[in-house]
Amino acid sequence: MLTSGVFGYVADYLLWWVLLLSLVANTWCFFKLFPSDKHRKSGLILGNGLVFLCFLGVIAMAGETYLRFTVVETDSFGVSLPARRWFALYTEKNTMGCRDYEWAVEKPAGVRRVAFVGDSFTYGWGIKRVQDRFSDIVGERFAELSPGSVEVMNVAKPGWGSSDQLAPIRDLINRYAVDEIVLCYVFNDIEKLIPTTDDYDPKRPPEPGFFDPDRSCLVDYFYRTIIVPRLPTVRGHHDWLASAYADEGIWRRHQRQLGDITRVCADNEVTFRVVLLPFIQTGGERLIPERLHEVVRRFFEANNVEVVDLLPTILGQDPRELVVNARDPHPNETAHRLFAEAIWQAFYATPIPARTSKP
């Protein structure tokens, strides 16, 4: 098969055209050659059926063409062709694999380095311009008030959990001499500690077993719009997360992960702050956002970590106005602006004293 990257298989697209043109040709032949005078009733039924199929075929090809070559948008899992096209067009990574500029190893004298560490929320999943992410908005505020005094780094990767963030944080401290780590915590950061089975793994995007989604963007669109939201691993995802926080063993192990990050920063005299990022859209029955936010906030506060809870910034807002699109519940540009303002007011409204580079 001929491949064309983010546009799927060219041969498949051409095959759909061949099938449509073949249907149109056979319909034309039917009306030309079918002896309607002998089989008037059956001819009328078959003829109308063929015309209807041709009409559906034209509509389907228009949808297939539009989705395959025009639509550029993310979905919650990032596996559809339009989502892969979005990542190809709008994301550039540095040598650490992060969606940010290339960081100089040696920190300039008199500059304070602040690293926002997180997952897809911090990465800016679905945000076309990195300047619209909350970390970059905070960085721009610093640049306006005190040009060149603070360098903000976005250190985030989709799918990262707390177990994945300790090593990069050590690297940021030891190699890049950061002065401050801001852990951007999302409540799925615990999920790699939750047991799964081959049949039930909410971390893994459910793929159809009856067709290759790359073969038809239209079929894939309906599959991910109609079927996927009703699958148990998707429908029960938030309840699955809530059960982990209610499990003493899992929560204790997660506390150790978070405690390790806290201690690494404290041992190296690096300022450590935490941002609690909320799910904008939630489902299920057991996940109560206020309760989860309180549990995690109390843990950090008990360890003398400064925390800003961003759940209040979205309360009372229409969730549909804060997400990337109907199939992607990641925060959009409006939500990022709200987050940036709350972070600024909580952490940086009071000027930060300059620190000298570590020897």
Side-chain angles (χ1 to χ4, degrees), residues 92-228:
E92 294 183 7
K93 300 176 182 178
N94 58 23
T95 53
M96 274 194 70
C98 298
R99 189 188 178 196
D100 206 6
Y101 60 90
E102 196 64 46
W103 312 315
V105 174
E106 185 173 351
K107 182 176 66 174
V111 170
R112 180 182 180 86
R113 273 184 168 168
V114 179
F116 284 78
V117 180
D119 63 2
S120 57
F121 278 45
T122 308
Y123 177 89
W125 183 292
I127 305 296
K128 294 180 181 179
R129 295 175 358 111
V130 294
Q131 295 89 338
D132 293 324
R133 301 180 301 188
F134 62 81
S135 62
D136 298 76
I137 296 172
V138 170
E140 182 61 28
R141 185 79 68 90
F142 277 126
E144 292 173 355
L145 295 179
S146 182
S149 64
V150 179
E151 181 182 10
V152 172
M153 306 161 72
N154 185 294
V155 188
K157 292 183 182 180
W160 261 6
S162 299
S163 59
D164 305 299
Q165 293 164 345
L166 181 59
I169 287 173
R170 283 198 178 109
D171 198 27
L172 288 167
I173 295 172
N174 297 327
R175 185 180 181 191
Y176 293 97
V178 298
D179 301 286
E180 179 180 335
I181 296 291
V182 180
L183 180 66
C184 304
Y185 185 89
V186 182
F187 288 84
N188 60 1
D189 287 356
I190 197 174
E191 65 183 12
K192 292 186 179 180
L193 293 174
I194 312 175
T196 59
T197 65
D198 291 338
D199 297 326
Y200 192 86
D201 185 359
K203 301 190 306 297
R204 189 174 56 202
E207 292 299 327
F210 56 90
F211 82 102
D212 181 350
D214 283 359
R215 307 299 187 195
S216 170
C217 288
L218 183 65
V219 176
D220 183 55
Y221 174 81
F222 284 118
Y223 171 74
R224 300 194 185 282
T225 302
I226 299 173
I227 298 178
V228 167

Side-chain angles (χ1 to χ4, degrees), residues 1-15 68-69 81 84 212 214-215:
M1 302 295 286
L2 297 175
T3 60
S4 58
V6 295
F7 295 104
Y9 297 89
V10 172
D12 286 327
Y13 181 67
L14 295 177
L15 178 61
R68 185 178 290 262
F69 298 107
L81 283 175
R84 281 148 49 189
D212 181 350
D214 283 359
R215 307 299 187 195

